[in-house]
């Protein structure tokens, strides 16, 4: 009985995620679902991304948090349209939330929409929102054992950002081991070593995003 | 309909949490629910705690992870009884899991049981397991905005460990601001600044635990 109800809920989410995907396809907006633990550095990566991309593409951001609009305030300073979703305690964004929010954006004028999910390495991976791709940000301060302990989110992502690599000298973290584990879970997945404070890896990451946006624009609606 | 089902599930968890609480009360075992984000340093804190306490009290550990027994292997090296729970993708431990697992421990010979929950700053706070107290570990590398963004877990905890304070010089983190926010959410809550690599704060934290164990032993069964 419980399983059936859960399946119904997930079925409903998947149905609306498919609607979202069709809507973004029609508008040729490339949508990225940005996930990671609390404090992995998702918003900092976004800030660097906006600095690099905002004059190259028309972008917007949806911010997901349980409470507060702290992240949206950080995004807004960069002059990029942003809408904050508060889940009021909910541990992930779902497809209906994104659908409702996307209606308030001018999709016709957009190339790129980044959805920063709630800080959580588990639940967001279970709820598709209708994005083209998922990305996971892992801070090296979280420890190199995390990919194997939280495999689903690494398996589902098309790109993995290993963030805060400037702190490697002060932490017990082997980039080689972590990257090997990630490649075992998701063979060939793109991995970028990033430091927002040192501006490292941003060009590589943003180049990947620009390529994805160009492919979407070029695709038949 | 969905809400009703959710209520039933939560009601069932609360009922079994109450059974667990009664069981631990009868056996005079002090039980702590140790929570925090992935990579906050829960297992490292536990390792330091065992070094400090294992000759002073009879303790055991329950390890919660989605997959792998990496954490249990780390605990086992310290000669403390440990049982690993794998949630197979589940984002939190629940009271039935803890009940079933506790049956495999010699509760008559125990003073202290620490349950390391799944790495997640959201969901574990919604599912009581029947512990005497909750503790939350926040790594300063996660950022000082986290208490206000994830308030429930800070409100519910009887002690907050600000971990990895040795990295403060390399991070944009104000201990004063974070502690003020935590105190706003949970006035008077005990806050300990911890560094496992520098052995900082361990004596204070373990002293708090010993006091709690002594109170439980002294309490009428």
């Amino acid at each position: 009985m419980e399983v059936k109800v859960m399946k119904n809920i997930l079925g409903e989410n998947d149905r609306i995620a498919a609607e979202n995907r069709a809507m973004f396809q029609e508008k040729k907006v490339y949508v990225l679902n940005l996930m990671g633990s609390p404090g992995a550095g998702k918003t900092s990566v976004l800030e660097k991304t906006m600095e690099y991309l905002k004059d190259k593409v028309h972008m917007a951001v949806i911010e997901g948090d349980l409470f507060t609009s702290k992240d949206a305030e950080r995004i807004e300073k960069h002059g990029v349209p942003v809408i904050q979703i508060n889940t009021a305690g909910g541990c992930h964004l779902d497809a209906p939330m994104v659908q409702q929010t996307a209606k308030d954006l001018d999709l016709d004028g957009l190339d790129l929409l980044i959805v920063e999910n709630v800080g959580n390495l588990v639940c967001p991976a279970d709820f598709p929102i209708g994005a083209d791709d998922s990305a996971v940000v892992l801070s090296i301060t979280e420890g190199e054992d995390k990919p194997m302990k939280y495999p689903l989110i690494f398996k589902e992502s098309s790109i993995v950002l290993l963030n805060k690599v400037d702190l490697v000298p002060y932490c017990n973290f082997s980039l080689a081991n972590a990257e090997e584990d990630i490649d075992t879970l998701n063979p060939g997945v793109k991995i970028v070593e990033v430091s927002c404070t040192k501006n490292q890896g941003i060009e590589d990451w943003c180049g990947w995003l620009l390529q994805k946006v160009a492919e979407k624009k070029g695709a038949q609606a």
Side-chain angles (χ1 to χ4, degrees), chain A:
Chain A
M1 178 63 175
E2 286 171 29
V3 174
K4 187 160 168 273
V5 172
M6 184 63 97
K7 272 190 178 167
N8 284 345
I9 294 168
L10 288 174
E12 178 69 0
N13 188 77
D14 285 355
R15 188 181 64 76
I16 296 179
E19 287 181 7
N20 292 353
R21 207 167 284 116
M23 170 177 65
F24 298 135
Q25 182 62 30
E26 189 199 328
K27 301 292 184 184
K28 294 195 176 185
V29 182
Y30 175 76
V31 181
L32 186 84
N33 182 12
L34 186 65
M35 302 186 286
S37 296
K42 297 179 291 303
T43 312
S44 295
V45 165
L46 258 179
E47 289 184 282
K48 285 289 166 187
T49 306
M50 287 182 294
E51 280 176 25
Y52 195 91
L53 287 184
K54 72 176 180 182
D55 297 328
K56 298 183 177 69
V57 295
H58 295 101
M59 67 182 290
V61 170
I62 293 176
E63 276 294 334
D65 279 300
L66 282 76
F67 301 98
T68 83
S69 55
K70 286 170 186 270
D71 286 355
E73 288 157 20
R74 287 170 62 186
I75 301 301
E76 206 162 35
K77 284 180 191 156
H78 296 264
V80 164
V82 57
I83 301 180
Q84 176 84 50
I85 297 176
N86 276 157
T87 63
C91 54
H92 61 275
L93 295 182
D94 61 26
M97 292 175 192
V98 170
Q99 184 170 67
Q100 203 181 333
T101 308
K103 286 175 183 164
D104 293 332
L105 289 167
D106 173 22
L107 293 179
D108 286 315
L110 275 191
D111 307 312
L112 169 64
L113 172 62
I114 300 183
V115 181
E116 184 183 336
N117 218 308
V118 173
N120 185 328
L121 212 49
V122 187
C123 313
D126 285 326
F127 290 83
I129 57 171
D132 290 276
D133 286 298
S134 292
V136 58
V137 182
L138 176 70
S139 165
I140 67 93
T141 60
E142 296 176 50
E144 67 184 57
D145 56 343
K146 294 305 167 295
M148 285 303 181
K149 289 178 67 180
Y150 301 85
L152 182 61
I153 206 163
F154 290 91
K155 284 180 184 171
E156 282 188 355
S157 292
S158 304
I159 186 166
V160 178
L161 305 184
L162 289 177
N163 193 24
K164 309 193 193 182
V165 294
D166 53 294
L167 296 175
V168 165
Y170 314 109
C171 298
N172 185 16
F173 189 98
S174 158
L175 286 167
N177 290 353
E179 291 174 15
E180 192 184 326
D181 282 352
I182 293 164
D183 196 70
T184 300
L185 291 168
N186 190 348
V189 68
K190 183 167 176 70
I191 303 172
V192 185
E193 298 176 4
V194 173
S195 163
C196 292
T197 55
K198 307 283 183 200
N199 234 20
Q200 183 184 335
I202 302 300
E203 197 176 334
D204 189 5
W205 148 249
C206 288
W208 183 89
L209 275 175
L210 282 178
Q211 177 68 29
K212 290 285 187 177
V213 169
E215 286 169 11
K216 185 90 182 224
K217 284 284 156 196
Q220 191 59 46

